[in-house]
Amino acid sequence: MLRTPANDTRLRILEWLKDPVAHFPRRRHADLVTDGVCADAVAAKLGVRRAVARTHLTLLADLGMLRAKRVRRRTYYRRDEVRIAEVAWLFEKDW
């Protein structure tokens, strides 16, 4: 778990999703802030295939860092700020 978000690509995705309106184009059937961003948009921004972007997003969602929501036939991802704060707190904790 601790290694997965440390990947540079996944860290960039988390950073972009802090402010999705600034980093991704509007979608017709979903709101970037309330619904999130689909794998197609992340893939386009990364310059990779959709399957690669979906793998990164799924790993982050499995860790609880992202929340997934189905809108029509697509899955949209947005940050789970509570979970991200919990993980950040773990790294700040003095073991």
Side-chain angles (χ1 to χ4, degrees):
M1 176 195 131
L2 297 177
R3 271 190 242 147
T4 300
N7 178 290
D8 182 54
T9 300
R10 290 187 278 277
L11 288 174
R12 281 190 291 156
I13 292 169
L14 287 172
E15 188 65 31
W16 294 335
L17 292 178
K18 272 186 186 178
D19 186 7
V21 174
H23 295 282
F24 296 97
R26 285 187 62 227
R27 302 297 293 200
R28 186 175 357 158
H29 300 291
D31 180 79
L32 291 172
V33 176
T34 58
D35 298 322
V37 177
C38 68
D40 288 340
V42 173
K45 185 138 178 97
L46 288 172
V48 298
R49 294 187 344 253
R50 180 178 49 212
V52 173
R54 193 174 26 227
T55 298
H56 289 300
L57 293 166
T58 300
L59 283 169
L60 289 167
D62 288 347
L63 287 172
M65 307 286 249
L66 298 180
R67 292 194 177 217
K69 176 182 181 179
R70 293 287 294 180
V71 177
R72 295 186 177 224
R73 294 191 306 172
R74 297 184 188 269
T75 302
Y76 290 82
Y77 299 87
R78 64 182 176 87
R79 290 169 50 110
D80 185 335
E81 298 297 341
V82 172
R83 177 67 175 148
I84 291 170
E86 289 171 351
V87 171
W89 179 80
L90 283 174
F91 283 104
E92 292 173 3
K93 193 172 181 180
D94 196 21
W95 297 97

